Amino acid sequence: MATGDLDGDVLAEALTWQQAGHQVALATVTHTWGSSPRPVGSQLAVRDDSTFRGSVSGGCIEGAVIQEALAALKDGKTRNLEFSVSNEQAWEVGLTCGGTVQVFVEPVA
């Protein structure tokens, strides 16, 4: 379940969720090439119950990033994800803008 707008205060929301006892993962756009729906630095916070806030793509790869964030919460490992139009997974998740997006996902302790 999404909450709030695309940007909002993602970090403040993540802190509020942690203080309420939830596990939280952060996803951050670290690199873009070509056409990209969101700029470097865009963030998405994901709570252990799949609630999220923010955006790393305006919607086209959010589902895949949220799944990786939930996996990161389970195994405690970070992830460097890359989506592009030539990436088979990109077509599956809907990245058709023609660019490349790299996203770093980390569980927040």
Side-chain angles (χ1 to χ4, degrees):
M1 171 171 66
T3 61
D5 55 66
L6 288 182
D7 292 316
D9 195 339
V10 174
L11 296 178
E13 187 75 29
L15 178 60
T16 299
W17 291 343
Q18 274 195 315
Q19 290 173 338
H22 290 280
Q23 291 182 305
V24 177
L26 287 175
T28 304
V29 175
T30 57
H31 180 77
T32 64
W33 180 86
S35 178
S36 172
R38 301 285 297 151
V40 170
S42 297
Q43 291 189 303
L44 173 73
V46 180
R47 203 165 75 180
D48 53 5
D49 63 359
S50 302
T51 298
F52 64 96
R53 178 160 184 168
S55 175
V56 290
S57 72
C60 54
I61 62 170
E62 250 74 8
V65 173
I66 289 167
Q67 291 304 310
E68 290 294 329
L70 292 170
L73 289 176
K74 287 184 180 175
D75 66 21
K77 296 180 181 176
T78 62
R79 282 137 169 87
N80 283 303
L81 310 174
E82 183 174 304
F83 301 94
S84 69
V85 72
S86 62
N87 183 318
E88 187 174 303
Q89 186 181 18
W91 288 108
E92 292 174 10
V93 299
L95 184 62
T96 58
C97 57
T100 299
V101 178
Q102 292 180 340
V103 179
F104 180 71
V105 178
E106 59 186 326
V108 180

